[in-house]
Amino acid sequence: MAAHPTGNPPDQPAGETEAEEESESPTSSVAHRVFWPSAVVILLFVLYAVLFPHSAASAVTTVQDHIIGYLGWYYQAIVSLFVIFSIWVGVSRFGDIKLGRDEEEPEFGLLSWLSMLFAAGMGIGLVFWGVAEPLTFYDEPKPGIGESSAARSEFAMRQTFLHWGVHPWAIYAVVGLAVAYAIHRRGRPVSIRWTLEPLIGERVKGGWGDLIDVIAIIGTLFGVATSLGFGVMQVSAGMEYSGWVDSTGEGLQVLLIVVITLIAIGSVVSGLGRGIRLLSNVNITIAALLMIFVLVTGPTEFIFNTLVQSIGNYLQNFLQMSFDTGVNYGSEGTGWVRQWTLFYWGWWISWVPFVGIFIARISRGRTVREFIAGVLLVPTVVTFLWYSALGGSALWEEIFGSGNLTEGGVNTDAALFQLLHNLPWTGFVSGVTILLIVLFFVTSSDSGSFVVDMLASGGDQNPPIWSRVFWSVAEGAVAIALLLAGGAGSDSLTTLQTTAIIIALPFSVIMLIMCVATLRCLRAEHRAYEAARRREMAQRLVHHTVNALEENRQDEAAGRTRAWGEYPRGSRRLPWRRR
């Protein structure tokens, strides 16, 4: 598709420019109907989880079990639908529409853009589960896989690719594209509510819009806080396994949260163009170096063979895995799918407001096709390589090496460090890995705080600095409170995580409506473009006809006769020009 005929996005007046400064605007303020309800609900729920941890855990687990038990088929179906929708939009005639003004260049370079969306999307999850998930699937496979090590190994990589490949990124792409089109193409504030404007019109400014933003804020903060809490458990476990500390107590974990929160505050205050982008680039660099180290010092040939074979298995079984509910193996099969696949789908959807808004905010100037390709393909390929390197090395160690990584079950907190213990330079590499984990948590925290603050500030792309600090501190405080919850910190964190996944159910309905609204916008713009192109062609034809008639009159007055090839291009179609 060519440039928009008017040279400006729809609903944005000609000549209007958006000045985006990485500093607080004098008029910046919070949206009180979103900020205070979100803060109050978060405070009340955290108090409930801290004061009555077992009651809260039982209540939310019961709700979650009912949702997954009765609506597991729904989660499988809609996530597969999001994959189909994202790919179709990317390859369709809408792909050339730019998320911004037609002449606008991308706000961030390609490497910085990919680094930021990757770090915010699932960077920390890759570090945490890079070794643990393939080992867990190898040790406890889905019913019907078989007992041979080859079958379990193939299944482990194939299922890991499903959970971390195209499907989660398609979930992010649906919301990211809708938000990016609304804020960059239509000039709307940064908010989930504006993605529904094509369907509900001015009502997005009222109570329904406020409710959508409140749900997005709560889900985002709960998701980041629980990841922060569980993440410091992995860091402390790595420090203990590496011999840095004698034991991992609550004091060390609280200290780690405080340090991560302070770094995140400095990053989020400095803005997207400085702190967040810099840390994301550093993260990707260290992660790439760690992956290369494992590739070189680990079973290199086995890793590359695993990569190629696993991609083939993944593609061959893509449709079957996408719609697999485990029903043919009874309660054991459906229970396994609920515990892993459906849990992941709910968890990714619970992170959608955060990640979707963030990648939309950093994607200004990209076309729809670039956005879909960047969000779907590039992170997926990198993820496959990452899991093949770390997970493949762990599987090789388990099958052909010492075979001690699954003794007594997989220790998810320490699995990565157990693998590194079998490679050279253990102490140094473990230290770098701990630094990587901390930095990934910092980027998750600062980007999450930035998104929450934009929502709580009425969609301001450069929200007030004081509220950026408030939400960063809130995330750290929630994580600390739940870790210290009467000795039941892990239960409290799980309660909060489960609550975030419960929130994913109503938000999944919003996502379906969002797909319809986005499609309506893209079709309307394409129709406007086609109508303008036809008008331009008609005007050009009229212009050529007038010129041809004038030339014909001049030729007749002068008594000239031209050969067919001597007439200007465009007038050859006129039969009266021929002699």
Side-chain angles (χ1 to χ4, degrees):
M1 186 180 296
H4 194 276
T6 64
N8 297 289
D11 301 332
Q12 189 165 334
E16 180 182 331
T17 59
E18 295 184 37
E20 294 189 33
E21 302 294 336
E22 293 290 356
S23 60
E24 183 176 354
S25 170
T27 60
S28 293
S29 62
V30 298
H32 296 287
R33 294 187 306 176
V34 175
F35 184 97
W36 293 113
S38 302
V40 170
V41 170
I42 290 168
L43 175 62
L44 291 177
F45 187 87
V46 170
L47 287 176
Y48 175 49
V50 169
L51 297 177
F52 309 99
H54 300 296
S55 172
S58 175
V60 300
T61 300
T62 300
V63 174
Q64 172 69 359
D65 289 344
H66 278 79
I67 291 175
I68 295 298
Y70 292 108
L71 296 175
W73 58 269
Y74 167 76
Y75 275 99
Q76 287 285 53
I78 62 167
V79 171
S80 300
L81 176 63
F82 294 150
V83 173
I84 296 170
F85 177 81
S86 300
I87 295 175
W88 176 76
V89 169
V91 300
S92 71
R93 62 185 184 274
F94 310 130
D96 291 327
I97 295 176
K98 181 165 286 190
L99 302 174
R101 292 178 174 275
D102 293 323
E103 71 280 1
E104 202 164 20
E105 294 297 322
E107 183 178 3
F108 298 101
L110 182 61
L111 181 59
S112 294
W113 179 58
L114 293 174
S115 298
M116 284 192 286
L117 71 88
F118 197 78
M122 56 180 61
I124 185 57
L126 293 179
V127 179
F128 189 91
W129 289 107
V131 172
E133 184 160 332
L135 274 182
T136 301
F137 292 163
Y138 175 83
D139 189 43
E140 300 175 3
K142 189 174 68 174
I145 297 304
E147 295 297 327
S148 70
S149 60
R152 288 187 293 155
S153 176
E154 289 181 4
F155 165 76
M157 296 303 299
R158 181 173 69 241
Q159 194 70 25
T160 300
F161 280 13
L162 174 72
H163 293 163
W164 296 85
V166 171
H167 289 72
W169 286 104
I171 294 173
Y172 294 155
V174 166
V175 176
L177 176 62
V179 175
Y181 186 87
I183 65 176
H184 299 316
R185 190 72 179 168
R186 296 170 61 88
R188 300 299 189 253
V190 181
S191 174
I192 295 289
R193 69 173 72 192
W194 293 104
T195 62
L196 305 183
E197 184 187 17
L199 296 179
I200 65 176
E202 291 294 313
R203 283 177 290 177
V204 297
K205 300 178 182 179
W208 284 108
D210 294 335
L211 178 62
I212 291 171
D213 285 345
V214 169
I215 292 174
I217 288 176
I218 294 173
T220 296
L221 192 134
F222 281 6
V224 174
T226 51
S227 295
L228 184 60
F230 285 123
V232 298
M233 292 181 181
Q234 185 190 30
V235 173
S236 57
M239 296 174 69
E240 181 181 16
Y241 192 85
S242 302
W244 293 12
V245 294
D246 295 331
S247 62
T248 59
E250 292 177 345
L252 174 62
Q253 293 171 349
V254 170
L255 178 62
L256 288 171
I257 292 177
V258 170
V259 171
I260 291 173
T261 301
L262 289 175
I263 300 174
I265 289 173
S267 176
V268 76
V269 165
S270 63
L272 278 175
R274 290 184 286 273
I276 297 177
R277 178 171 61 178
L278 175 62
L279 284 178
S280 298
N281 289 338
V282 171
N283 274 344
I284 293 300
T285 301
I286 297 177
L289 291 175
L290 176 62
M291 183 176 66
I292 293 172
F293 171 79
V294 175
L295 281 171
V296 173
T297 60
T300 307
E301 183 181 0
F302 181 85
I303 289 172
F304 282 111
N305 282 330
T306 297
L307 173 64
V308 174
Q309 177 176 285
S310 299
I311 290 176
N313 281 329
Y314 171 73
L315 295 176
Q316 182 180 1
N317 296 277
F318 184 84
L319 288 177
Q320 184 271 331
M321 292 190 299
S322 298
F323 295 93
D324 183 18
T325 62
V327 67
N328 291 333
Y329 293 95
S331 59
E332 189 177 357
T334 55
W336 195 98
V337 173
R338 292 172 188 171
Q339 180 183 357
W340 284 104
T341 304
L342 299 183
F343 176 86
Y344 266 126
W345 294 166
W347 185 237
W348 296 140
I349 293 175
S350 74
W351 274 64
V352 152
F354 156 39
V355 181
I357 290 176
F358 184 78
I359 64 177
R361 172 62 181 83
I362 64 176
S363 299
R364 181 174 185 146
R366 303 281 171 189
T367 65
V368 170
R369 185 169 292 114
E370 287 174 338
F371 180 87
I372 295 295
V375 173
L376 286 189
L377 299 181
V378 176
T380 297
V381 171
V382 174
T383 297
F384 287 176
L385 184 58
W386 175 269
Y387 271 108
S388 296
L390 275 72
S393 295
L395 290 174
W396 184 91
E397 190 68 34
E398 188 64 25
I399 299 171
F400 304 107
S402 61
N404 61 357
L405 296 181
T406 60
E407 287 184 1
V410 178
N411 184 341
T412 55
D413 290 340
L416 174 59
F417 298 98
Q418 290 174 338
L419 172 66
L420 297 178
H421 185 72
N422 296 320
L423 300 177
W425 308 324
T426 302
F428 173 76
V429 176
S430 296
V432 172
T433 302
I434 290 175
L435 174 63
L436 176 64
I437 296 171
V438 170
L439 290 179
F440 264 129
F441 274 116
V442 169
T443 52
S444 292
S445 179
D446 59 14
S447 52
S449 302
F450 195 81
V451 167
V452 167
D453 200 21
M454 286 190 290
L455 291 173
S457 300
D460 186 356
Q461 296 195 32
N462 296 288
I465 291 177
W466 71 264
S467 60
R468 301 186 200 185
V469 175
F470 172 83
W471 290 112
S472 295
V473 172
E475 290 167 358
V478 168
I480 291 174
L482 295 175
L483 274 174
L484 301 178
S490 179
D491 290 339
S492 299
L493 285 170
T494 302
T495 299
L496 199 64
Q497 184 182 46
T498 306
T499 304
I501 296 173
I502 292 173
I503 293 174
L505 178 60
F507 200 82
S508 67
V509 178
I510 296 174
M511 290 178 64
L512 291 173
I513 301 173
M514 203 177 292
C515 290
V516 177
T518 302
L519 187 58
R520 175 175 291 188
C521 285
L522 295 177
R523 282 179 171 171
E525 178 160 350
H526 183 74
R527 284 196 298 267
Y529 165 77
E530 288 295 325
R533 188 173 66 88
R534 286 192 295 269
R535 286 195 300 270
E536 183 181 352
M537 292 177 61
Q539 291 171 357
R540 192 179 304 164
L541 180 60
V542 169
H543 176 74
H544 285 315
T545 302
V546 170
N547 287 343
L549 290 172
E550 177 62 22
E551 291 169 5
N552 188 51
R553 186 189 65 78
Q554 294 175 0
D555 287 349
E556 289 178 350
R560 289 195 303 265
T561 301
R562 301 189 193 185
W564 172 255
E566 295 177 346
Y567 290 110
R569 183 180 178 185
S571 62
R572 299 180 188 176
R573 306 176 186 175
L574 305 178
W576 60 82
R577 298 289 308 191
R578 307 188 69 166
R579 296 288 187 264

